[in-house]
Amino acid sequence: MTRPMTMAEKILAAHAGLDEVVPGQLIECDLDLVLSNDVTAPIAIKEFRKIGLDKVFDPTKIALVPDHYVPAKDIKSAEQAKIVRDFAYEQGITHYYEVGCMGVEHALLPEQGVVGAGDLVIGSDSHTCTYGALGAFSTGVGSTDAGVGYATGRAWFKVPESLLFRIEGALRPGVSGKDVILHIIGLIGVDGALYKAMEFTGSAIRSMSMDSRMAISNMAIEAGGKAGLIEVDDITRAYLDGRVERPYTEYHSDPDAHYERVYEIDAASIEPTVAWPHLPSNTHPVSESRHIAIDQAVIGSCTNGRIEDMRAAAEVLRGRVVAPNMRCIVIPATQQVYRQCMKEGLMSIFIEANCAVSTPTCGPCLGGYMGILAAGERAIATTNRNFVGRMGHPTSEVYLASPAVAAASAVLGHIGLPEDID
């Protein structure tokens, strides 16, 4: 009889061909997907070449998404993208997404059905943990590990301990998945889940859409988490069925599985939240942040660039305009989200509010392009990191918030809530 196991342990055991695993155990696992982008893939490709193989292990199980500096902002970024493009065509990579088809990778792959429940995914991008919202074990790795993954389809793991976050009750009006994960990171700190599998459950989680769940899993890494998992339920199945390109497998934690720690959180205690510079854990209620003037708002990213996020921002911006001293940049995360925004009339709302609307890109989140900050400027962003110099000059500041708060702040010219506008 096997020991009771968590979701994370069950997925890892299955992919290692073992009946059971225990935290701390070193295992080698078969991979369902290896992901890289235009920043990390060129390094991984170089490492793959060193191995001396002519072909990747399976061209259907590698995803290459140029999304950070494309459309290319300069010669160097164009050359990076070309390396990825040439490798994709050379190897017959089926999940290569060119400009015009691509999107922000961690929004695109779930949308396109490339990732499913029970998968084991590594990506040379730290926010690969997003796919835990689908019931997968997905985690970020270095480009060397990704290159070896291209070659072998396997990777080493140390089985992590698991932490359980049980969030019960109804969220307050205006509180989103972004507020929930900021609240948790503020509670435990940026190293509170270091190399742990974070599992999110409770009635508040079960009532959330997939878009909100992905925002939560996306930021598990900001607490140091190895993965951020949410159990498959009817909402997950409705999202996956007819979308995911291969059969998926559900793994559910055993009722008596061991967790290193269980956090009990009252959903009603969570307020609209902002993370002040320069850590995602430096959280404060929006109600205590209204004195902070803002120069720029960014609404997008792999955390909050999905259609639910676009709708939340548009609802605030409808019939209003961005403050004269403000810039507001809206970035739908994928072409499909862009098209849906057009279909629903959200693009007209953004443009009439004097927002700049971009093609899908990660650009401003990492200080790449499409919204770099000058010395001393402040941005409120629906992105996931606010480290020193993250979005531009080292003396600039980034405040992390939900789409509704970012949109309201764009109208107000300072951090605030939608109800502060009227």
Side-chain angles (χ1 to χ4, degrees):
M1 183 175 178
T2 59
R3 63 181 286 271
M5 290 190 290
T6 65
M7 285 178 63
E9 292 162 356
K10 287 185 176 183
I11 295 171
L12 290 173
H15 286 77
L18 301 172
D19 291 332
E20 63 178 50
V21 294
V22 297
Q25 182 177 349
L26 293 175
I27 56 175
E28 189 179 11
C29 296
D30 292 324
L31 301 170
D32 294 299
L33 188 71
V34 184
L35 162 70
S36 298
N37 56 54
D38 52 314
V39 175
T40 61
I43 306 169
I45 292 167
K46 182 179 179 180
E47 295 304 312
F48 169 80
R49 303 286 192 202
K50 289 180 181 178
I51 296 171
L53 298 178
D54 293 328
K55 293 295 182 180
V56 298
F57 84 103
D58 187 336
T60 70
K61 292 186 177 182
I62 295 171
L64 300 176
V65 186
D67 63 353
H68 279 57
Y69 290 99
V70 295
K73 77 177 186 72
D74 53 25
I75 294 171
K76 185 174 182 179
S77 61
E79 290 173 343
Q80 290 280 100
K82 186 177 187 302
I83 291 170
V84 181
R85 182 181 304 113
D86 290 348
F87 183 75
Y89 285 110
E90 169 200 312
Q91 295 291 327
I93 303 298
T94 57
H95 296 115
Y96 169 69
Y97 300 90
E98 187 54 90
V99 171
C101 300
M102 68 82 180
V104 175
E105 57 196 319
H106 305 309
L108 180 70
L109 297 189
E111 174 192 278
Q112 295 295 310
V114 181
V115 182
D119 282 353
L120 180 57
V121 181
I122 62 169
S124 46
D125 185 280
S126 57
H127 294 103
T128 303
C129 52
T130 304
Y131 317 136
L134 304 174
F137 188 102
S138 56
T139 193
V141 298
S143 292
T144 299
D145 286 327
V148 173
Y150 294 174
T152 67
R154 296 177 68 80
W156 286 96
F157 294 87
K158 183 175 77 170
V159 179
E161 291 276 6
S162 291
L163 304 176
L164 184 65
F165 296 84
R166 185 179 289 115
I167 307 160
E168 298 288 359
L171 296 170
R172 299 183 190 185
V175 173
S176 69
K178 181 63 163 290
D179 299 301
V180 170
I181 190 60
L182 287 176
H183 178 87
I184 289 172
I185 297 168
L187 177 68
I188 69 173
V190 292
D191 58 354
L194 193 60
Y195 207 90
K196 316 290 184 189
M198 302 172 73
E199 185 177 332
F200 306 98
T201 189
S203 58
I205 298 294
R206 290 191 294 272
S207 68
M208 287 183 179
S209 68
M210 287 307 305
D211 285 1
S212 292
R213 296 180 189 192
M214 282 190 266
I216 290 174
S217 292
N218 174 270
M219 290 190 68
I221 184 61
E222 309 311 334
K226 183 68 173 174
L229 299 100
I230 297 176
E231 187 177 41
V232 174
D233 60 11
D234 286 343
I235 291 175
T236 323
R237 296 181 196 105
Y239 183 87
L240 293 174
D241 291 345
R243 179 192 302 266
V244 68
E245 60 188 26
R246 48 193 161 73
Y248 61 85
T249 304
E250 296 183 22
Y251 293 93
H252 299 267
S253 296
D254 292 320
D256 50 351
H258 169 76
Y259 292 92
E260 185 178 83
R261 184 169 176 180
V262 177
Y263 293 85
E264 303 282 355
I265 300 172
D266 178 7
S269 69
I270 302 173
E271 298 183 48
T273 301
V274 177
W276 294 10
H278 288 286
L279 288 173
S281 59
N282 187 15
T283 55
H284 301 261
V286 174
S287 59
E288 297 176 5
S289 308
R290 292 186 174 100
H291 62 285
I292 300 170
I294 297 295
D295 300 290
Q296 175 173 291
V298 176
I299 301 168
S301 88
C302 62
T303 315
N304 287 125
R306 300 173 181 84
I307 189 60
E308 179 178 278
D309 306 308
M310 297 293 109
R311 289 168 180 156
E315 185 60 31
V316 176
L317 292 166
R318 188 188 306 272
R320 301 183 172 105
V321 295
V322 172
N325 59 328
M326 280 286 301
R327 309 179 299 274
C328 184
I329 303 167
V330 178
I331 308 175
T334 69
Q335 293 288 71
Q336 184 171 311
V337 173
Y338 201 112
R339 286 194 295 269
Q340 190 65 27
C341 286
M342 293 174 63
K343 181 178 179 181
E344 297 182 16
L346 306 187
M347 286 299 182
S348 294
I349 294 172
F350 296 142
I351 293 169
E352 289 166 9
N354 296 335
C355 299
V357 182
S358 167
T359 186
T361 179
C362 300
C365 176
L366 73 158
Y369 77 134
M370 282 299 298
I372 304 302
L373 299 176
E377 287 194 312
R378 290 173 175 158
I380 188 163
T382 67
T383 56
N384 41 47
R385 287 188 174 147
N386 58 349
F387 306 149
V388 174
R390 173 71 177 179
M391 202 174 278
H393 194 277
T395 64
S396 65
E397 296 180 346
V398 179
Y399 295 76
L400 306 178
S402 71
V405 170
S409 302
V411 174
L412 292 164
H414 62 81
I415 295 177
L417 294 165
E419 51 263 39
D420 298 333
I421 297 173
D422 297 323

